[in-house]
Amino acid sequence: MGTDDGGPGTTTIVVMGVSGSGKSTVAAGLVERLGWEFAEGDDFHPPENVEKMRAGHPLDDEDRWPWLRRLADWIGEHERAGRSVVVTCSALKRSYRDLLRDGHPSVWFAHVSGPQELITERVQKRSGHYMPPSLVPSQFAALEPLGDDEPGRVVPASGGPEQAVEDLLADLARERGVTLPSSP
Ligand SMILES: Nc1ncnc2c1ncn2[C@@H]1O[C@H](COP(=O)(O)OP(=O)(O)O)[C@@H](O)[C@H]1O
Ligand SMILES: [Mg+2]
């Protein structure tokens, strides 16, 4: 059975959470195990959004809609092509997640979640990223946890990324019939 045979069509894993929670790290672990295509949600921002964040200003909904629509389009293209994918996207609010999920039954959220102190420390230590530590509080203010009716699960940011990946793969196998590619 291939990776896409067991569940309801393809699967789109949206690795979500505040900046610095470990989305890109966990997504890389998933991609390594699954061998699926990957997109970094940060790369879908128009340059104005990146400059705004770099300057220490949080994005508002109006800034985020075009970004989310581009991501939703990417998800839709791959879903229609029958390709399972992994994508990172903070997807902080329910309304953002609803937009990504609209018409896309493949979407499944992996929320990397941890306390603000831990995340702030990680953002302070991280180099080469535009997001300043001063924006962490605004990320937590915007964050709405996954609802019971939203597909996906929460994994702790505090454990090792390997454990998060294992937990996610176990749930994906149960809920969506996702199987790992057989090793040669
Ligand atoms: N589970 C973890 N334990 C320790 N450090 C981590 C963990 N996950 C990520 N990091 C580190 O924390 C920082 C933020 O992680 P990153 O994956 O870039 O977050 P995000 O993509 O959500 O902004 C990076 O420097 C990364 O190496
Ligand atoms: Mg990232």
Side-chain angles (χ1 to χ4, degrees), residues 38-96:
F38 169 68
E40 178 62 70
D42 290 344
D43 295 343
F44 288 69
H45 276 299
E48 312 87 79
N49 283 6
V50 175
E51 281 319 305
K52 190 170 175 178
M53 289 185 274
R54 201 191 300 277
H57 305 293
L59 300 181
D60 55 30
D61 285 358
E62 291 315 305
D63 300 318
R64 284 178 176 136
W65 294 129
W67 166 60
L68 291 161
R69 280 192 213 101
R70 287 179 65 189
L71 264 172
D73 287 349
W74 187 88
I75 289 170
E77 282 162 25
H78 287 78
E79 189 181 281
R80 281 193 298 280
R83 301 215 291 272
S84 288
V85 294
V86 179
V87 57
T88 57
C89 174
S90 50
L92 298 175
K93 297 188 189 180
R94 171 76 195 232
S95 56
Y96 303 168

Side-chain angles (χ1 to χ4, degrees), residues 22-170:
K23 297 183 296 295
S24 297
T25 306
V26 169
L30 287 169
V31 167
E32 196 180 308
R33 297 291 297 278
L34 291 164
W36 293 358
E37 254 177 88
F38 169 68
E40 178 62 70
D42 290 344
D43 295 343
F44 288 69
H45 276 299
E48 312 87 79
N49 283 6
V50 175
E51 281 319 305
K52 190 170 175 178
M53 289 185 274
R54 201 191 300 277
H57 305 293
L59 300 181
D60 55 30
D61 285 358
E62 291 315 305
D63 300 318
R64 284 178 176 136
W65 294 129
W67 166 60
L68 291 161
R69 280 192 213 101
R70 287 179 65 189
L71 264 172
D73 287 349
W74 187 88
I75 289 170
E77 282 162 25
H78 287 78
E79 189 181 281
R80 281 193 298 280
R83 301 215 291 272
S84 288
V85 294
V86 179
V87 57
T88 57
C89 174
S90 50
L92 298 175
K93 297 188 189 180
R94 171 76 195 232
S95 56
Y96 303 168
R97 297 192 292 270
D98 285 349
L99 188 152
L100 296 178
R101 204 150 67 94
D102 184 31
H104 302 146
S106 67
V107 169
W108 194 90
F109 296 104
H111 180 191
V112 188
S113 174
Q116 191 165 331
E117 303 73 50
L118 172 77
I119 306 299
T120 306
E121 200 178 306
R122 282 195 191 161
V123 173
Q124 278 163 350
K125 283 189 190 148
R126 178 171 63 178
S127 58
H129 198 282
Y130 54 77
M131 184 67 87
S134 62
L135 283 186
V136 171
S138 65
Q139 292 269 300
F140 276 88
L143 178 65
E144 296 169 2
L146 275 181
D148 288 342
D149 59 333
E150 292 182 279
R153 71 164 284 171
V154 181
V155 285
S158 49
E162 301 82 8
Q163 189 57 50
V165 168
E166 291 311 319
D167 292 351
L168 290 169
L169 291 174

